Amino acid sequence: MVNNGSALGFTTLGQELTEVELHQRGQVPEWLEGDLLRTGPAQFEVGKASYQHWFDGLAMLYRFHFQQGRVVYSNRYLQSDAYLKAKAAGAPSSPEFATNPLPTLLQRLRLVARAGSGNNANVNTSRIGTHTVALTETPQPVAFDPASLATLDSRTLLPSLPGQVTTAHPHFDARRQCQYNYLLEFGRVSKYRLYRIDAGTTQAQLVATLDTQRPAYMHSFGMSERYLVLTEFPLVTNPLRFLLGNRPFIQNYRWEPERGTLFHVIDKDTGQIMKTARAEPFFAFHHVNAFERDGKLCVDIIAFPDPSVIDELYLEHLRSEAPTKAAGKLTRFTVDLDGDDAVVSQTLADAALELPRFDYRRRAGQPYRYVYAAGTSPKAAFMDTLIRIDLETGKETAWHEASCYPGEPVFVPRPEAQGEDDGVILSVVLDAKVGRSFLIVLDAANWSEQARLEVPHPVPFGFHGNFFKG
Ligand code: CO
C-alpha cells in the first residue's frame, strides 16, 4: 500500500530546459534518428488555486532529439490561451476536464457558442498538413515548432466543421493517405461528425453524421481497413447540463449502464452506417486496433467495467498512497458484420493495462500480433511496468524496476524492419528513488533494456506522444 513516490509524477515542474545532452547508459541504436515529441500536464496550481484532476494540468511539451546515437532534451510550456490567461489572472481561467473556474451563465453560454475550452493541449502530439500540433479534446489544435517547442499561431487549423468536443487520437490511413477524427456538436439533437483530412492539407471533409440524444464521452475510436468504429459507452450527457449547471466538463456525464455499449460501424468511403451492434456496458479511454476477419470485425480496447477509473485520476487520490483499483483489460469485441447485433467479448491478457501502442505504421486496421502497454501491478499506486503482449501465444513479458513508473511505450520500427516487433520502445520513466526521470530504450522483440537517457528532473506523468522521423 506504500506509494513509493509516484506522487512526484503529479508535482508541478518549474524547470524548462533547452537542448541538454542527456547522460547515456547503454547504447542508443545509430539508426534511431528523429524526435520523440510528447505533451502532458506539468503545472497543477496557478496562484493559490489548484487544478483538480490529472487531465487538467497545464500542458508541457517535451522533445527527445535523436541523432547519431546522441540524445538532446528540451521541455517547454505550451503557450496556449489557457496557459496565458491563467498566468495573466494568477489563477486557472479556462475550464478543463474536471476543473471549471467560470462562474457565470453568460460565460458558460459563450463557452458553448465558441466551440472550445481553452486549448490546453496536454493529451497528444500529431501532424496536420505540414504543421506539428499538440491536441486535446476541444477542437483547437495548437501548432508548435518541433525543434524549439515554441507555440505558433494556430488559427488556420480550426476545423471547418462545427463541434465542441473531439478526440486527441486521430487515425491515419496509409492507403487512403488521410487522417480521421470526429467532432461532437451539442444540440437538442447532438451530432457526431466523422471527418477526414487528406495528407498535406488542413481541410476537414465530412464522412458521416450520426445523431444522438445523449452523447457519450469517447476519448478514442476504432479504425479497420474499411471501417471507422464509434464505440458509444453508456457514459452520457444531456447537453442542457452544460448550460444549466456549473459543473466541470466530465461531471456533466452520467453512467447509464442499461444502455449497454453501442458499436457503430461506418464505411470510410461511402459514409454509410453499416451496423450498430450492442455489447455489455463498459467504459474505455483507448481503442488499440481493429481489423476484419472472416466477415467479422474485431475491435481491441482497454476496457474497464465502469467509469470509476476517472474518479481514481483526481489528483488528491493520485497523490495519496491508495492503490489503483481500476484495472483496464485488453479485450477483443467481435462484431458480426453479417449476423446478429450482439457483440462477443473476450479478454486477451491478464495484466491491468493502459496507454496501449503497437506497430501502427504497418498494422493499423490489419490483423496484428504485438501490443505494448503500461501496466499496473496489484497493489501499486500507479502504472509501474511496461508490458509486451504476444496475441498469438498469449505470452506477457514485463519490464519492472523498484520505485520506477513508466509512461506510454512508443514503438519505433527499425528502417527496413521485418517483423512488427523489429524496433525499439521509448518510454519516459519516473525513478522515484532518485527523484528524476529517464527515457528507456527497450528492444521491442526481447524486451531487454538497450539504453537509458537520464533526464535532469522529474517529468510529470503525461499521456501520449509520437516519434517523428528525422
Ligand atoms: Co489517450
Side-chain angles (χ1 to χ4, degrees):
M1 303 292 174
V2 176
N3 188 310
N4 280 331
S6 62
L8 182 61
F10 304 101
T11 303
T12 293
L13 175 59
Q15 190 176 43
E16 293 175 294
L17 297 172
T18 304
E19 301 200 356
V20 175
E21 181 159 354
L22 298 183
H23 180 258
Q24 193 171 139
R25 286 205 273 160
Q27 187 60 54
V28 172
E30 292 271 340
W31 58 259
L32 195 57
E33 298 250 326
D35 292 308
L36 175 66
L37 296 173
R38 298 188 59 79
T39 182
Q43 181 170 340
F44 300 99
E45 305 83 23
V46 186
K48 290 193 176 72
S50 295
Y51 292 102
Q52 303 300 310
H53 198 276
W54 182 27
F55 297 179
D56 293 341
L58 292 170
M60 177 85 88
L61 300 172
Y62 305 89
R63 175 188 191 230
F64 294 88
H65 177 62
F66 292 77
Q67 195 172 28
Q68 296 175 335
R70 296 165 61 229
V71 183
V72 169
Y73 169 82
S74 305
N75 70 310
R76 191 165 177 182
Y77 275 102
L78 185 72
Q79 308 287 305
S80 67
D81 293 344
Y83 179 87
L84 296 173
K85 280 197 319 199
K87 287 279 156 172
S93 300
S94 301
E96 300 296 342
F97 182 81
T99 302
N100 192 356
L102 290 181
T104 70
L105 178 63
L106 182 65
Q107 282 166 312
R108 286 198 300 280
L109 288 167
R110 206 180 289 148
L111 166 71
V112 173
R114 77 175 170 82
S117 62
N119 61 19
N120 175 30
N122 66 10
V123 185
N124 203 356
T125 60
S126 188
R127 282 232 168 103
I128 300 175
T130 55
H131 307 268
T132 305
V133 293
L135 302 175
T136 182
E137 296 185 334
T138 51
Q140 297 168 316
V142 183
F144 65 94
D145 181 323
S148 69
L149 303 181
T151 303
L152 305 174
D153 189 327
S154 308
R155 278 171 291 189
T156 60
L157 297 176
L158 288 170
S160 48
L161 298 168
Q164 293 83 31
V165 181
T166 185
T167 84
H169 290 284
H171 274 294
F172 293 86
D173 186 319
R175 191 164 69 81
R176 291 173 181 79
Q177 282 291 298
C178 68
Q179 61 175 289
Y180 294 99
N181 207 338
Y182 82 81
L183 279 159
L184 164 63
E185 185 187 18
F186 288 131
R188 196 173 54 77
V189 176
S190 298
K191 292 178 188 304
Y192 303 117
R193 288 192 182 87
L194 289 149
Y195 67 87
R196 64 182 274 173
I197 298 177
D198 289 340
T201 76
T202 59
Q203 199 65 29
Q205 302 171 58
L206 186 67
V207 173
T209 304
L210 287 81
D211 290 348
T212 177
Q213 300 286 339
R214 294 287 180 270
Y217 174 66
M218 297 181 287
H219 177 83
S220 65
F221 61 103
M223 182 186 82
S224 70
E225 180 57 47
R226 282 186 296 173
Y227 305 117
L228 302 174
V229 188
L230 212 52
T231 309
E232 267 195 306
F233 314 108
L235 182 64
V236 297
T237 188
N238 178 343
L240 276 177
R241 288 198 197 113
F242 283 88
L243 288 177
L244 302 177
N246 191 30
R247 283 181 290 264
F249 173 81
I250 196 62
Q251 290 174 19
N252 293 294
Y253 288 81
R254 299 280 179 274
W255 180 241
E256 299 182 4
E258 63 281 3
R259 292 173 178 273
T261 301
L262 300 179
F263 285 76
H264 303 289
V265 181
I266 298 114
D267 187 297
K268 284 177 180 172
D269 297 323
T270 66
Q272 192 185 347
I273 300 164
M274 307 300 291
K275 181 127 192 161
T276 292
R278 193 170 190 271
E280 70 258 37
F282 71 96
F283 174 74
F285 293 111
H286 296 117
H287 289 69
V288 187
N289 197 8
F291 58 92
E292 298 147 54
R293 193 169 59 189
D294 306 327
K296 296 193 165 95
L297 178 65
C298 298
V299 187
D300 293 355
I301 295 177
I302 304 295
F304 295 82
D306 59 55
S308 59
V309 57
I310 294 172
D311 298 327
E312 293 220 341
L313 301 178
Y314 278 88
L315 292 165
E316 189 179 2
H317 184 268
L318 290 168
R319 289 165 174 161
S320 75
E321 298 190 347
T324 304
K325 291 193 293 289
K329 291 294 177 95
L330 175 59
T331 309
R332 176 160 297 167
F333 296 88
T334 304
V335 178
D336 189 342
L337 292 167
D338 307 313
D340 69 23
D341 292 342
V343 176
V344 177
S345 71
Q346 178 198 1
T347 305
L348 299 180
D350 292 330
L353 302 174
E354 253 303 346
L355 306 174
R357 300 296 295 250
F358 65 102
D359 183 2
Y360 190 93
R361 197 184 60 172
R362 284 176 308 169
R363 304 314 307 163
Q366 309 293 334
Y368 69 122
R369 180 165 177 182
Y370 301 109
V371 175
Y372 314 112
T376 305
S377 305
K379 296 187 182 171
F382 202 64
M383 293 176 276
D384 64 344
T385 51
L386 288 168
I387 299 184
R388 168 192 142 105
I389 297 156
D390 182 338
L391 295 173
E392 211 159 274
T393 64
K395 187 177 175 205
E396 298 175 26
T397 311
W399 177 91
H400 171 78
E401 193 170 295
S403 302
C404 284
Y405 299 91
E408 179 188 47
V410 174
F411 174 71
V412 186
R414 201 168 52 85
E416 322 300 330
Q418 298 299 313
E420 64 177 273
D421 61 350
D422 189 355
V424 296
I425 293 293
L426 303 177
S427 173
V428 179
V429 182
L430 178 69
D431 184 347
K433 292 187 298 292
V434 298
R436 293 187 298 274
S437 298
F438 59 88
L439 184 78
I440 196 165
V441 182
L442 293 179
D443 183 321
N446 64 22
W447 223 234
S448 65
E449 180 174 334
Q450 292 197 313
R452 64 174 70 183
L453 293 316
E454 294 171 357
V455 179
H457 54 214
V459 175
F461 295 126
F463 304 112
H464 307 290
N466 284 295
F467 192 83
F468 299 86
K469 275 204 281 187

